[in-house]
Amino acid sequence: MLPHRSRPLPPDAPLFHRAPHLQQTEVLQARYVTHVFPKHTHEEFAMGVVDGGVHVSEWGGVTHRTGPGAIVVNNPGDIHTGRAGDAAGWSYRMLYPPAALLEDVATQVAGRSRPLPAFGAPVIHDAAAAAALRALIAALLDGAEPLETHTRFLLTVGNLLRRHAVDRPPSARVHAVPDAVRRAREYLEAHADESVALADLARVTGLHPLYLVRVFHRAVGLPPHAYLTQIRVQRAKRRLAAGEPAATVAAAVGFADQSHLTRHFKRQLGVTPGQYARALGATAR
């Protein structure tokens, strides 16, 4: 797993990661105290959430002071600066997705070709969108599986574009596609012990990734990555009941390691794999 931290980072020592499955999108989590960003631009989009402190930036001839919970965005080519608003500094987490990727997301949202999107202001106040963006970046830094992070990316960024882009892409209507959902479920069940990509499900169903996620969620009640986790937990439960050790079970059903199994097992069943196995053993005796 990657070194994502929920506690404050040391000052001016950012965490950095790239997501190959998202066209090498760069991911940053940082706390800056003394560092000052001079006027500069990015080739890609920049979007993130302020976690603490005050972030000050100059954009379009206006100074913006941004506090915790606000979203900061910059389009490719936007000239802007960045610095702390006071001596305590500021912390934030950021995504830097290529322009082509956001154009593709806008097209998937609308269900038809769309031009490159853009944001009209560098600060967005939208608590729900900020929470989703924060969770997406945390998942990327934590090394969550590509199926989960790709799904989160499409839903989070697609929603951000739909609600806050200058030329907002309309959301395509979702129609039931039962055969596609059936094929996706069968694929997840057959490959649950592997690393499944959203592109794999798109290929076997013939649907665009975002549309597939929306169709699947509507029909099943869970997004594909959550459905895959449920399959793995149920298979782990059966193996633990048969007496297999948790470390062996984790690898056999597709979890990265025993701690990965434990986290999801407890989340779904309310007990850890060890507690579950010990309870079954006591009952048998």
Side-chain angles (χ1 to χ4, degrees):
M1 305 293 279
L2 297 166
H4 165 66
R5 303 176 188 177
S6 57
R7 61 181 182 277
L9 290 169
D12 304 313
L15 293 176
F16 179 81
H17 174 58
R18 270 186 172 174
H21 62 294
L22 297 177
Q23 295 185 22
Q24 301 296 334
T25 290
E26 295 175 354
V27 189
L28 175 76
Q29 184 182 10
R31 176 181 168 228
Y32 290 117
V33 176
T34 61
H35 189 78
V36 176
F37 291 97
K39 287 185 177 180
H40 67 287
T41 66
H42 300 281
E43 291 183 339
E44 57 283 308
F45 282 86
M47 54 181 63
V49 183
V50 177
D51 288 326
V54 178
H55 171 251
V56 178
S57 65
E58 284 76 36
W59 187 93
V62 179
T63 298
H64 299 267
R65 294 178 62 88
T66 309
I71 297 173
V72 291
V73 294
N74 290 111
N75 305 303
D78 283 352
I79 298 175
H80 61 286
T81 65
R83 59 183 172 84
D86 53 39
W90 91 95
S91 58
Y92 67 173
R93 59 191 75 192
M94 297 290 296
L95 283 178
Y96 300 93
L101 182 56
L102 257 70
E103 185 174 353
D104 179 64
V105 174
T107 294
Q108 290 195 53
V109 169
R112 55 186 174 84
S113 180
R114 295 286 296 182
L116 181 68
F119 296 97
V123 180
I124 296 171
H125 296 283
D126 184 330
L133 189 55
R134 182 181 288 112
L136 164 63
I137 297 172
L140 285 163
L141 288 170
D142 279 339
E145 291 185 81
L147 179 61
E148 176 182 351
T149 53
H150 193 177
T151 298
R152 285 183 180 273
F153 182 89
L154 291 176
L155 293 172
T156 299
V157 176
N159 184 58
L160 199 60
L161 292 175
R162 187 174 56 81
R163 296 175 66 169
H164 299 288
V166 174
D167 183 13
R168 301 176 184 180
S171 185
R173 295 182 62 183
V174 174
H175 302 280
V177 192
D179 285 346
V181 172
R182 175 184 54 78
R183 289 195 296 272
R185 293 177 70 165
E186 289 174 350
Y187 188 91
L188 290 170
E189 289 161 4
H191 300 270
D193 59 346
E194 304 171 17
S195 178
V196 178
L198 191 53
D200 297 328
L201 297 180
R203 174 177 50 80
V204 300
T205 60
L207 301 178
H208 288 300
L210 179 56
Y211 194 80
L212 166 62
V213 169
R214 296 177 67 197
V215 167
F216 191 97
H217 198 169
R218 173 174 289 189
V220 178
L222 296 170
H225 69 272
Y227 183 78
L228 177 61
T229 297
Q230 178 176 277
I231 294 171
R232 289 171 173 171
V233 168
Q234 293 300 322
R235 292 181 181 180
K237 183 180 177 183
R238 291 195 293 269
R239 285 176 173 266
L240 289 166
E244 294 185 42
T248 302
V249 169
V253 301
F255 287 111
D257 50 35
Q258 187 173 340
S259 64
H260 191 203
L261 163 64
T262 298
R263 182 167 68 253
H264 288 291
F265 196 94
K266 185 172 183 179
R267 182 180 298 163
Q268 287 201 17
L269 301 179
V271 296
T272 67
Q275 290 169 334
Y276 177 74
R278 286 192 295 273
L280 288 183
T283 301
R285 288 194 298 272

